[in-house]
Amino acid sequence: MQSLTLANGREIPQLGYGVYTMTSAEVEKHLPEAIAAGYTHIDTANAYFNEVAVGRAVKASGARREDLFITTKLFPQSYPYEQCSVDIDASLERLGTDYVDLMLFHQPYGDYVEGWRAMEEAVDAGKARAIGLSNFPVHKVEQILEVARIKPSVIQVEINPYWNQHALKKALAERGLADAVFEGWYPLGHGDEALLAEPVFRELAEKYGKTPAQVVLRWHIQEGNVVFPTSRNPEHMAENIDIFDFALTEDEMARIDALAQHCYYTVPEEAPAFVLARNDYSKQA
């Protein structure tokens, strides 16, 4: 496993295991398999309604807490300052841990500017070792930076070869976040067969004795991204992590970077209905 260094000096594994869309039963079955396969970075969220299952699965795996990197996220109903502190504690309780390695604001709506102070206080209290933002566009990141005592260590957005986010990385570097680590969701293009069928990936897969998906994941690693390929299949888990025995050349990276760019999902400026819905995160199996 390779890691990157966060602004606070802590290490973050580049390849993680995401539990988005997984039921609690699926998490309890498959997360221990992923940990056994070598995954040490786990990505969940209060809005996934599986934090309790993640906590149980981690305990059942036998892994030491200090050997894992656990990320969770807060949805906008948690952002008002007083509520944010309460909901941070609630996530920790559901996960069965005294701290998370990374806490993210999940969506760019609501009282995120006010709530950022509570996130900083969670760092001060040792409840979150790093904090960051998920799905935030440049102008909303700027609003956070205007008030931040602790800058976002991580920016999580859609990243894949069809949407490499080079422009976003450059824009945020110009605004003082050159040391931010970028995490990518939809790392394999949201199941898009056309992406994996691109001639460049088929050619490189044949050259290196890998699959097109492994070539895409290797591109992410060399781009400096953190990614979470989700799988419920132990064979695919093993395949996804088997990408550290080869390296793409500069020319090969450039060929991938030259692919036409288009995103799979545009984060709207105004909050969609599902973000505004009130959730009772305590109702987890």
Side-chain angles (χ1 to χ4, degrees), residues 15-276:
L15 195 64
Y17 189 73
V19 297
Y20 175 56
T21 74
M22 283 192 181
T23 66
S24 292
E26 288 173 326
V27 168
E28 292 196 62
K29 177 180 179 182
H30 298 299
L31 180 52
E33 295 172 342
I35 293 173
Y39 292 84
T40 58
H41 186 171
I42 303 160
D43 180 86
T44 186
N46 62 3
Y48 295 172
F49 281 87
N50 56 25
E51 287 177 312
V52 170
V54 167
R56 287 199 296 252
V58 165
K59 185 176 181 179
S61 75
R64 299 187 305 169
R65 175 65 186 89
E66 58 267 31
D67 292 335
L68 299 176
F69 190 104
I70 299 177
T71 297
T72 195
K73 315 177 196 73
L74 301 178
F75 231 45
Q77 75 181 57
S78 299
Y79 295 173
Y81 173 73
E82 296 294 341
Q83 189 64 44
C84 193
S85 298
V86 171
D87 285 2
I88 288 170
D89 288 342
S91 276
L92 295 180
E93 183 176 357
R94 287 191 293 271
L95 288 164
T97 184
D98 295 331
Y99 70 95
V100 289
D101 298 274
L102 176 63
M103 179 85 67
L104 302 175
F105 276 172
H106 201 162
Q107 296 283 349
Y109 312 109
D111 297 325
Y112 50 84
V113 173
E114 177 187 0
W116 191 251
R117 180 161 55 98
M119 294 278 272
E120 293 173 326
E121 290 172 357
V123 174
D124 296 337
K127 297 176 180 179
R129 292 188 167 174
I131 50 179
L133 302 170
S134 176
N135 298 310
F136 276 63
V138 171
H139 67 284
K140 293 186 178 181
V141 175
E142 287 179 324
Q143 292 175 319
I144 294 288
L145 293 176
E146 288 173 0
V147 302
R149 173 171 56 86
I150 301 174
K151 295 188 299 183
S153 294
V154 170
I155 303 295
Q156 187 180 100
V157 288
E158 178 188 340
I159 310 178
N160 52 67
Y162 280 163
W163 198 239
N164 59 39
Q165 294 287 15
H166 288 180
L168 177 64
K169 291 179 178 182
K170 181 176 184 293
L172 291 183
E174 292 170 349
R175 289 158 175 79
L177 290 180
D179 55 357
V181 167
F182 281 78
E183 295 183 338
W185 47 264
Y186 287 177
L188 296 173
H190 195 40
D192 185 2
E193 294 182 2
L195 174 62
L196 297 182
E198 285 282 356
V200 65
F201 296 125
R202 292 192 169 188
E203 175 189 325
L204 294 176
E206 183 176 354
K207 173 183 175 180
Y208 290 108
K210 297 292 182 179
T211 67
Q214 287 173 312
V215 174
V216 172
L217 292 174
R218 183 67 209 181
W219 170 84
H220 277 290
I221 296 300
Q222 293 183 219
E223 280 277 296
N225 301 329
V226 174
V227 290
F228 311 95
T230 298
S231 176
R232 296 162 175 82
N233 184 323
E235 292 183 2
H236 290 163
M237 292 178 196
E239 183 179 280
N240 289 339
I241 208 170
D242 184 24
I243 57 171
F244 298 104
D245 59 351
F246 76 107
L248 303 172
T249 68
E250 290 185 9
D251 286 345
E252 289 164 350
M253 291 290 291
R255 286 179 60 195
I256 297 170
D257 290 340
L259 290 172
Q261 296 292 289
H262 64 83
C263 63
Y264 289 96
Y265 177 73
T266 299
V267 178
E269 178 69 18
E270 300 299 325
F274 77 90
V275 173
L276 298 177

